[in-house]
């Protein structure tokens, strides 16, 4: 995958199977944490809120999601 500068471009450059997954994960992150900031670090999407919150990535045959700060998330609707 070529170097990307936005999460939109990362998703657009991802394998076809991964695009809806990444879009859904992105939507859930924003729904669960409206103040989250998007960034690209180490070539893949990261989301920051009071530091690193989570990241997502697409590979040849799978997607990954890493979550660091579940303890600060308030999720009464059980979105995540």
């Amino acid at each position: 995958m070529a170097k990307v500068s936005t999460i939109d471009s990362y998703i657009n450059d991802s394998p076809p199977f991964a695009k809806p997954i990444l879009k859904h994960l992105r939507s859930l992150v924003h729904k669960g944490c409206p103040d989250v900031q998007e960034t690209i670090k180490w070539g893949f999407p990261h989301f920051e809120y009071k530091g690193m919150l989570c990241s997502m990535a697409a590979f040849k045959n799978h997607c990954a999601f890493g979550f660091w700060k579940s303890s600060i998330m308030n999720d009464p609707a059980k979105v995540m």
Side-chain angles (χ1 to χ4, degrees):
M1 194 177 293
K3 184 176 179 177
V4 294
S5 60
T6 68
I7 292 181
D8 286 326
S9 62
Y10 184 91
I11 291 172
N12 289 335
D13 291 345
S14 295
F17 82 90
K19 292 177 185 183
I21 296 167
L22 297 175
K23 288 176 184 177
H24 182 68
L25 289 171
R26 184 186 197 185
S27 174
L28 287 176
V29 171
H30 281 276
K31 186 174 183 180
C33 185
D35 295 329
V36 74
Q37 297 293 311
E38 297 184 343
T39 186
I40 297 290
K41 291 184 182 288
W42 304 289
F44 58 98
H46 284 74
F47 301 88
E48 296 180 343
Y49 178 76
K50 298 182 181 181
M52 192 74 67
L53 177 65
C54 56
S55 65
M56 63 184 187
F59 298 94
K60 186 176 180 181
N61 294 310
H62 71 281
C63 293
F65 184 79
F67 200 69
W68 287 275
K69 297 209 176 194
S70 61
S71 63
I72 68 167
M73 295 297 292
N74 181 7
D75 186 19
K78 306 296 182 219
V79 173
M80 297 175 131

